[in-house]
PDB file of all heavy atoms in Angstrom:
ATOM      1  N   TYR J1145      -1.555  -3.573   9.754  1.00  0.00           N
ATOM      2  CA  TYR J1145      -2.943  -3.834  10.035  1.00  0.00           C
ATOM      3  C   TYR J1145      -3.717  -2.567   9.734  1.00  0.00           C
ATOM      4  O   TYR J1145      -4.174  -1.782  10.473  1.00  0.00           O
ATOM      5  CB  TYR J1145      -3.011  -4.159  11.601  1.00  0.00           C
ATOM      6  CG  TYR J1145      -4.358  -4.646  11.932  1.00  0.00           C
ATOM      7  CD1 TYR J1145      -5.111  -5.588  11.197  1.00  0.00           C
ATOM      8  CD2 TYR J1145      -5.008  -4.109  13.121  1.00  0.00           C
ATOM      9  CE1 TYR J1145      -6.436  -5.967  11.529  1.00  0.00           C
ATOM     10  CE2 TYR J1145      -6.257  -4.436  13.477  1.00  0.00           C
ATOM     11  CZ  TYR J1145      -6.903  -5.375  12.820  1.00  0.00           C
ATOM     12  OH  TYR J1145      -8.158  -5.817  13.142  1.00  0.00           O
ATOM     13  N   GLY J1146      -3.903  -2.452   8.338  1.00  0.00           N
ATOM     14  CA  GLY J1146      -4.505  -1.256   7.689  1.00  0.00           C
ATOM     15  C   GLY J1146      -4.303  -1.398   6.234  1.00  0.00           C
ATOM     16  O   GLY J1146      -4.000  -2.388   5.707  1.00  0.00           O
ATOM     17  N   CYS J1147      -4.287  -0.183   5.654  1.00  0.00           N
ATOM     18  CA  CYS J1147      -4.197  -0.117   4.221  1.00  0.00           C
ATOM     19  C   CYS J1147      -2.917   0.633   3.775  1.00  0.00           C
ATOM     20  O   CYS J1147      -2.145   1.252   4.480  1.00  0.00           O
ATOM     21  CB  CYS J1147      -5.310   0.647   3.554  1.00  0.00           C
ATOM     22  SG  CYS J1147      -6.915  -0.052   3.792  1.00  0.00           S
ATOM     23  N   ILE J1148      -2.430   0.382   2.492  1.00  0.00           N
ATOM     24  CA  ILE J1148      -1.336   0.965   1.885  1.00  0.00           C
ATOM     25  C   ILE J1148      -1.951   1.700   0.555  1.00  0.00           C
ATOM     26  O   ILE J1148      -3.131   1.433   0.207  1.00  0.00           O
ATOM     27  CB  ILE J1148      -0.247   0.038   1.505  1.00  0.00           C
ATOM     28  CG1 ILE J1148      -0.701  -0.911   0.444  1.00  0.00           C
ATOM     29  CG2 ILE J1148       0.395  -0.676   2.675  1.00  0.00           C
ATOM     30  CD1 ILE J1148       0.346  -1.357  -0.535  1.00  0.00           C
ATOM     31  N   ARG J1149      -1.071   2.446   0.025  1.00  0.00           N
ATOM     32  CA  ARG J1149      -1.519   2.926  -1.348  1.00  0.00           C
ATOM     33  C   ARG J1149      -0.203   2.865  -2.341  1.00  0.00           C
ATOM     34  O   ARG J1149       0.832   2.467  -1.748  1.00  0.00           O
ATOM     35  CB  ARG J1149      -1.940   4.399  -1.207  1.00  0.00           C
ATOM     36  CG  ARG J1149      -1.054   5.440  -0.812  1.00  0.00           C
ATOM     37  CD  ARG J1149      -1.730   6.705  -0.593  1.00  0.00           C
ATOM     38  NE  ARG J1149      -0.857   7.893  -0.687  1.00  0.00           N
ATOM     39  CZ  ARG J1149      -1.226   9.143  -0.969  1.00  0.00           C
ATOM     40  NH1 ARG J1149      -2.546   9.408  -0.990  1.00  0.00           N
ATOM     41  NH2 ARG J1149      -0.383  10.057  -1.004  1.00  0.00           N
ATOM     42  N   ASP J1150      -0.402   3.294  -3.573  1.00  0.00           N
ATOM     43  CA  ASP J1150       0.679   3.216  -4.489  1.00  0.00           C
ATOM     44  C   ASP J1150       1.122   1.806  -4.638  1.00  0.00           C
ATOM     45  O   ASP J1150       2.348   1.436  -4.745  1.00  0.00           O
ATOM     46  CB  ASP J1150       1.855   4.128  -4.040  1.00  0.00           C
ATOM     47  CG  ASP J1150       1.509   5.490  -3.807  1.00  0.00           C
ATOM     48  OD1 ASP J1150       0.763   6.143  -4.758  1.00  0.00           O
ATOM     49  OD2 ASP J1150       1.982   6.086  -2.853  1.00  0.00           O
ATOM     50  N   ALA J1151       0.161   0.833  -4.747  1.00  0.00           N
ATOM     51  CA  ALA J1151       0.436  -0.582  -4.716  1.00  0.00           C
ATOM     52  C   ALA J1151       1.260  -1.008  -5.949  1.00  0.00           C
ATOM     53  O   ALA J1151       2.150  -1.883  -5.730  1.00  0.00           O
ATOM     54  CB  ALA J1151      -0.846  -1.307  -4.677  1.00  0.00           C
ATOM     55  N   LYS J1152       0.993  -0.364  -7.176  1.00  0.00           N
ATOM     56  CA  LYS J1152       1.704  -0.772  -8.353  1.00  0.00           C
ATOM     57  C   LYS J1152       3.251  -0.430  -8.115  1.00  0.00           C
ATOM     58  O   LYS J1152       4.106  -1.246  -8.322  1.00  0.00           O
ATOM     59  CB  LYS J1152       1.150  -0.067  -9.497  1.00  0.00           C
ATOM     60  CG  LYS J1152       1.794  -0.528 -10.785  1.00  0.00           C
ATOM     61  CD  LYS J1152       1.101   0.158 -11.955  1.00  0.00           C
ATOM     62  CE  LYS J1152       1.827  -0.376 -13.332  1.00  0.00           C
ATOM     63  NZ  LYS J1152       1.055   0.311 -14.505  1.00  0.00           N
ATOM     64  N   ALA J1153       3.658   0.653  -7.658  1.00  0.00           N
ATOM     65  CA  ALA J1153       4.942   1.074  -7.445  1.00  0.00           C
ATOM     66  C   ALA J1153       5.578   0.260  -6.384  1.00  0.00           C
ATOM     67  O   ALA J1153       6.779  -0.271  -6.548  1.00  0.00           O
ATOM     68  CB  ALA J1153       5.111   2.455  -7.023  1.00  0.00           C
ATOM     69  N   ILE J1154       4.951   0.068  -5.237  1.00  0.00           N
ATOM     70  CA  ILE J1154       5.447  -0.820  -4.206  1.00  0.00           C
ATOM     71  C   ILE J1154       5.791  -2.238  -4.603  1.00  0.00           C
ATOM     72  O   ILE J1154       6.718  -2.778  -4.288  1.00  0.00           O
ATOM     73  CB  ILE J1154       4.593  -0.770  -2.981  1.00  0.00           C
ATOM     74  CG1 ILE J1154       4.612   0.615  -2.324  1.00  0.00           C
ATOM     75  CG2 ILE J1154       4.949  -1.815  -1.958  1.00  0.00           C
ATOM     76  CD1 ILE J1154       3.511   0.894  -1.234  1.00  0.00           C
ATOM     77  N   GLY J1155       5.011  -2.717  -5.587  1.00  0.00           N
ATOM     78  CA  GLY J1155       5.110  -4.084  -5.985  1.00  0.00           C
ATOM     79  C   GLY J1155       6.475  -4.307  -6.879  1.00  0.00           C
ATOM     80  O   GLY J1155       6.913  -5.442  -7.081  1.00  0.00           O
ATOM     81  N   HIS J1156       7.022  -3.160  -7.321  1.00  0.00           N
ATOM     82  CA  HIS J1156       8.347  -3.292  -7.970  1.00  0.00           C
ATOM     83  C   HIS J1156       9.545  -2.996  -7.111  1.00  0.00           C
ATOM     84  O   HIS J1156      10.713  -2.893  -7.526  1.00  0.00           O
ATOM     85  CB  HIS J1156       8.326  -2.274  -9.145  1.00  0.00           C
ATOM     86  CG  HIS J1156       7.280  -2.598 -10.241  1.00  0.00           C
ATOM     87  ND1 HIS J1156       7.410  -3.688 -11.132  1.00  0.00           N
ATOM     88  CD2 HIS J1156       6.187  -1.961 -10.437  1.00  0.00           C
ATOM     89  CE1 HIS J1156       6.352  -3.729 -11.893  1.00  0.00           C
ATOM     90  NE2 HIS J1156       5.611  -2.655 -11.552  1.00  0.00           N
ATOM     91  N   MET J1157       9.295  -2.782  -5.763  1.00  0.00           N
ATOM     92  CA  MET J1157      10.378  -2.491  -4.839  1.00  0.00           C
ATOM     93  C   MET J1157      10.905  -3.694  -4.147  1.00  0.00           C
ATOM     94  O   MET J1157      10.054  -4.510  -3.797  1.00  0.00           O
ATOM     95  CB  MET J1157       9.874  -1.543  -3.798  1.00  0.00           C
ATOM     96  CG  MET J1157       9.598  -0.107  -4.472  1.00  0.00           C
ATOM     97  SD  MET J1157       9.104   0.979  -3.169  1.00  0.00           S
ATOM     98  CE  MET J1157       8.422   2.382  -4.157  1.00  0.00           C
ATOM     99  N   PRO J1158      12.104  -3.838  -3.809  1.00  0.00           N
ATOM    100  CA  PRO J1158      12.649  -5.000  -3.220  1.00  0.00           C
ATOM    101  C   PRO J1158      12.561  -4.911  -1.683  1.00  0.00           C
ATOM    102  O   PRO J1158      13.386  -5.034  -0.896  1.00  0.00           O
ATOM    103  CB  PRO J1158      14.219  -4.976  -3.536  1.00  0.00           C
ATOM    104  CG  PRO J1158      14.463  -3.680  -3.694  1.00  0.00           C
ATOM    105  CD  PRO J1158      13.214  -2.848  -4.324  1.00  0.00           C
ATOM    106  N   VAL J1159      11.213  -5.027  -1.219  1.00  0.00           N
ATOM    107  CA  VAL J1159      10.902  -4.970   0.111  1.00  0.00           C
ATOM    108  C   VAL J1159       9.530  -5.711   0.385  1.00  0.00           C
ATOM    109  O   VAL J1159       8.639  -5.724  -0.607  1.00  0.00           O
ATOM    110  CB  VAL J1159      10.732  -3.556   0.671  1.00  0.00           C
ATOM    111  CG1 VAL J1159       9.640  -2.789   0.033  1.00  0.00           C
ATOM    112  CG2 VAL J1159      10.650  -3.566   2.253  1.00  0.00           C
ATOM    113  N   GLY J1160       9.412  -6.443   1.448  1.00  0.00           N
ATOM    114  CA  GLY J1160       8.056  -7.121   1.560  1.00  0.00           C
ATOM    115  C   GLY J1160       7.122  -6.168   2.237  1.00  0.00           C
ATOM    116  O   GLY J1160       7.492  -5.396   3.133  1.00  0.00           O
ATOM    117  N   VAL J1161       5.907  -6.154   1.764  1.00  0.00           N
ATOM    118  CA  VAL J1161       4.910  -5.285   2.270  1.00  0.00           C
ATOM    119  C   VAL J1161       3.610  -6.157   2.376  1.00  0.00           C
ATOM    120  O   VAL J1161       3.055  -6.473   1.311  1.00  0.00           O
ATOM    121  CB  VAL J1161       4.615  -3.993   1.552  1.00  0.00           C
ATOM    122  CG1 VAL J1161       3.489  -3.152   2.104  1.00  0.00           C
ATOM    123  CG2 VAL J1161       5.844  -3.160   1.467  1.00  0.00           C
ATOM    124  N   PHE J1162       3.069  -6.409   3.520  1.00  0.00           N
ATOM    125  CA  PHE J1162       1.756  -7.065   3.659  1.00  0.00           C
ATOM    126  C   PHE J1162       0.821  -5.991   4.314  1.00  0.00           C
ATOM    127  O   PHE J1162       1.293  -5.271   5.233  1.00  0.00           O
ATOM    128  CB  PHE J1162       1.970  -8.258   4.689  1.00  0.00           C
ATOM    129  CG  PHE J1162       2.451  -9.600   4.118  1.00  0.00           C
ATOM    130  CD1 PHE J1162       3.165  -9.559   2.867  1.00  0.00           C
ATOM    131  CD2 PHE J1162       2.076 -10.755   4.687  1.00  0.00           C
ATOM    132  CE1 PHE J1162       3.636 -10.742   2.333  1.00  0.00           C
ATOM    133  CE2 PHE J1162       2.553 -11.924   4.134  1.00  0.00           C
ATOM    134  CZ  PHE J1162       3.256 -11.941   3.072  1.00  0.00           C
ATOM    135  N   ALA J1163      -0.382  -5.981   3.845  1.00  0.00           N
ATOM    136  CA  ALA J1163      -1.559  -5.161   4.402  1.00  0.00           C
ATOM    137  C   ALA J1163      -2.812  -5.719   4.173  1.00  0.00           C
ATOM    138  O   ALA J1163      -2.919  -6.714   3.358  1.00  0.00           O
ATOM    139  CB  ALA J1163      -1.311  -3.786   3.715  1.00  0.00           C
ATOM    140  N   LEU J1164      -3.790  -5.113   4.782  1.00  0.00           N
ATOM    141  CA  LEU J1164      -5.217  -5.616   4.600  1.00  0.00           C
ATOM    142  C   LEU J1164      -5.689  -5.435   3.160  1.00  0.00           C
ATOM    143  O   LEU J1164      -6.391  -6.140   2.615  1.00  0.00           O
ATOM    144  CB  LEU J1164      -6.116  -5.090   5.652  1.00  0.00           C
ATOM    145  CG  LEU J1164      -5.842  -5.337   7.054  1.00  0.00           C
ATOM    146  CD1 LEU J1164      -6.766  -4.529   7.881  1.00  0.00           C
ATOM    147  CD2 LEU J1164      -5.784  -6.844   7.376  1.00  0.00           C
ATOM    148  N   ASP J1165      -5.339  -4.175   2.658  1.00  0.00           N
ATOM    149  CA  ASP J1165      -5.924  -3.832   1.387  1.00  0.00           C
ATOM    150  C   ASP J1165      -5.345  -2.401   0.964  1.00  0.00           C
ATOM    151  O   ASP J1165      -4.277  -1.988   1.578  1.00  0.00           O
ATOM    152  CB  ASP J1165      -7.427  -3.497   1.368  1.00  0.00           C
ATOM    153  CG  ASP J1165      -8.074  -4.044   0.104  1.00  0.00           C
ATOM    154  OD1 ASP J1165      -7.404  -3.878  -0.970  1.00  0.00           O
ATOM    155  OD2 ASP J1165      -9.240  -4.433   0.195  1.00  0.00           O
ATOM    156  N   THR J1166      -5.656  -1.892  -0.076  1.00  0.00           N
ATOM    157  CA  THR J1166      -5.310  -0.572  -0.527  1.00  0.00           C
ATOM    158  C   THR J1166      -6.411   0.513  -0.347  1.00  0.00           C
ATOM    159  O   THR J1166      -7.688   0.188  -0.332  1.00  0.00           O
ATOM    160  CB  THR J1166      -4.903  -0.507  -2.035  1.00  0.00           C
ATOM    161  OG1 THR J1166      -6.030  -0.842  -2.775  1.00  0.00           O
ATOM    162  CG2 THR J1166      -3.765  -1.542  -2.283  1.00  0.00           C
ATOM    163  N   HIS J1167      -5.915   1.745  -0.346  1.00  0.00           N
ATOM    164  CA  HIS J1167      -6.746   2.879  -0.240  1.00  0.00           C
ATOM    165  C   HIS J1167      -6.131   4.120  -0.797  1.00  0.00           C
ATOM    166  O   HIS J1167      -4.922   4.343  -0.456  1.00  0.00           O
ATOM    167  CB  HIS J1167      -7.228   3.230   1.326  1.00  0.00           C
ATOM    168  CG  HIS J1167      -8.491   4.032   1.374  1.00  0.00           C
ATOM    169  ND1 HIS J1167      -8.474   5.286   1.073  1.00  0.00           N
ATOM    170  CD2 HIS J1167      -9.645   3.650   1.870  1.00  0.00           C
ATOM    171  CE1 HIS J1167      -9.638   5.752   1.325  1.00  0.00           C
ATOM    172  NE2 HIS J1167     -10.313   4.845   1.680  1.00  0.00           N
ATOM    173  N   PRO J1168      -6.652   4.893  -1.634  1.00  0.00           N
ATOM    174  CA  PRO J1168      -5.978   6.069  -2.160  1.00  0.00           C
ATOM    175  C   PRO J1168      -5.791   7.244  -1.339  1.00  0.00           C
ATOM    176  O   PRO J1168      -4.828   8.035  -1.642  1.00  0.00           O
ATOM    177  CB  PRO J1168      -6.930   6.388  -3.430  1.00  0.00           C
ATOM    178  CG  PRO J1168      -8.278   5.912  -2.994  1.00  0.00           C
ATOM    179  CD  PRO J1168      -7.994   4.720  -2.120  1.00  0.00           C
ATOM    180  N   ARG J1169      -6.513   7.373  -0.177  1.00  0.00           N
ATOM    181  CA  ARG J1169      -6.521   8.478   0.663  1.00  0.00           C
ATOM    182  C   ARG J1169      -5.131   8.466   1.509  1.00  0.00           C
ATOM    183  O   ARG J1169      -5.062   7.363   2.232  1.00  0.00           O
ATOM    184  CB  ARG J1169      -7.617   8.691   1.532  1.00  0.00           C
ATOM    185  CG  ARG J1169      -7.761  10.008   2.344  1.00  0.00           C
ATOM    186  CD  ARG J1169      -9.027  10.242   2.966  1.00  0.00           C
ATOM    187  NE  ARG J1169      -9.814  10.813   1.833  1.00  0.00           N
ATOM    188  CZ  ARG J1169     -11.089  10.478   1.630  1.00  0.00           C
ATOM    189  NH1 ARG J1169     -11.645   9.401   2.301  1.00  0.00           N
ATOM    190  NH2 ARG J1169     -11.784  10.970   0.683  1.00  0.00           N
ATOM    191  N   LYS J1170      -4.527   9.579   1.632  1.00  0.00           N
ATOM    192  CA  LYS J1170      -3.409   9.622   2.642  1.00  0.00           C
ATOM    193  C   LYS J1170      -3.875   9.835   4.091  1.00  0.00           C
ATOM    194  O   LYS J1170      -4.996  10.256   4.270  1.00  0.00           O
ATOM    195  CB  LYS J1170      -2.392  10.697   2.275  1.00  0.00           C
ATOM    196  CG  LYS J1170      -2.871  12.137   2.325  1.00  0.00           C
ATOM    197  CD  LYS J1170      -1.931  13.144   1.960  1.00  0.00           C
ATOM    198  CE  LYS J1170      -2.517  14.531   2.007  1.00  0.00           C
ATOM    199  NZ  LYS J1170      -1.481  15.600   1.622  1.00  0.00           N
ATOM    200  N   SER J1171      -3.041   9.436   5.031  1.00  0.00           N
ATOM    201  CA  SER J1171      -3.468   9.780   6.495  1.00  0.00           C
ATOM    202  C   SER J1171      -3.183  11.189   6.840  1.00  0.00           C
ATOM    203  O   SER J1171      -2.544  11.949   6.172  1.00  0.00           O
ATOM    204  CB  SER J1171      -2.646   8.793   7.364  1.00  0.00           C
ATOM    205  OG  SER J1171      -1.319   9.243   7.437  1.00  0.00           O
TER     206      SER J1171
END
């Protein structure tokens, strides 16, 4: 319930990831 980054790389990994959107800034 927030954002992720590195969406292109995550899209090639064998894991499910759901998020609201992407954001380039780290926490």
Side-chain angles (χ1 to χ4, degrees):
Y1145 184 49
C1147 294
I1148 67 149
R1149 67 187 205 164
D1150 304 313
K1152 185 174 182 177
I1154 290 172
H1156 295 289
M1157 295 181 194
V1159 65
V1161 177
F1162 277 27
L1164 298 178
D1165 214 330
T1166 61
H1167 198 292
R1169 179 170 285 131
K1170 66 182 178 179
S1171 78

